[in-house]
Amino acid sequence: MKKKGSVVEFKDQRNEELLRAFRAQLSNLGDPPLTELFERASLTPASRFWVSERRAMMVISKMLKGDTLASMNPKRREMFREIFRRVKRILEEEPGISLIEASFRVVNSPAPEFYLTPQSARTMIYRLRAC
């Protein structure tokens, strides 16, 4: 769940990329069930992690202090664990780098998926196609 008052900074970019992923799956697979298309689109690699650098740094900072993110949505938690793993690797390989810089690099690097549930992807795609 988003924090109260938070804004998805890259919403339009993410939505366009998700819609392209959905259309690519549609053209590649022919006529599979829509549920499969939404799942495949949500699992498509993304150009970046769809979270702001600031939010990522705040969550990673908490994780470094031992927070397990137990109350977080499972897909979001999975995303932050991947970001955390990458940030820790950068911090180990480059001892002089700041947490801010490491978080910035990771968030702006390709992500293995959109970290959305198929249901969230479906909702977003239907909303985008209705426009």
Side-chain angles (χ1 to χ4, degrees):
M1 174 184 253
K2 290 191 319 185
K3 293 283 187 191
K4 184 178 179 182
S6 68
V7 177
V8 179
E9 294 180 25
F10 308 102
K11 180 178 156 187
D12 293 338
Q13 290 172 288
R14 181 206 54 208
N15 290 349
E16 289 173 20
E17 194 170 317
L18 179 62
L19 192 54
R20 277 195 308 272
F22 175 77
R23 288 179 176 149
Q25 291 300 322
L26 186 60
S27 67
N28 290 341
L29 297 176
D31 195 23
L34 276 175
T35 54
E36 185 177 335
L37 287 172
F38 295 126
E39 182 173 5
R40 287 177 177 257
S42 68
L43 294 173
T44 300
S47 63
R48 59 168 286 141
F49 287 91
W50 296 108
V51 62
S52 73
E53 293 90 354
R54 181 177 181 202
R55 174 76 176 139
M57 193 208 49
M58 289 171 23
V59 172
I60 297 309
S61 179
K62 287 181 181 182
M63 292 175 79
L64 286 168
K65 294 174 185 170
D67 192 334
T68 62
L69 310 179
S71 63
M72 190 177 278
N73 168 301
K75 283 306 253 184
R76 295 295 283 178
R77 183 173 46 242
E78 182 183 342
M79 178 188 72
F80 281 116
R81 284 183 176 157
E82 176 61 19
I83 293 170
F84 181 68
R85 186 183 65 73
R86 292 183 187 192
V87 167
K88 275 184 62 175
R89 186 178 57 217
I90 290 173
L91 293 173
E92 290 168 2
E93 292 173 357
E94 301 177 45
I97 194 168
S98 69
L99 179 60
I100 295 170
E101 177 61 27
S103 299
F104 180 85
R105 280 194 210 170
V106 171
V107 167
N108 288 290
S109 67
E113 62 178 277
F114 279 89
Y115 293 101
L116 296 169
T117 64
Q119 295 81 8
S120 294
R122 182 190 73 197
T123 300
M124 294 164 90
I125 290 166
Y126 279 153
R127 190 176 306 130
L128 291 167
R129 294 183 79 196
C131 295

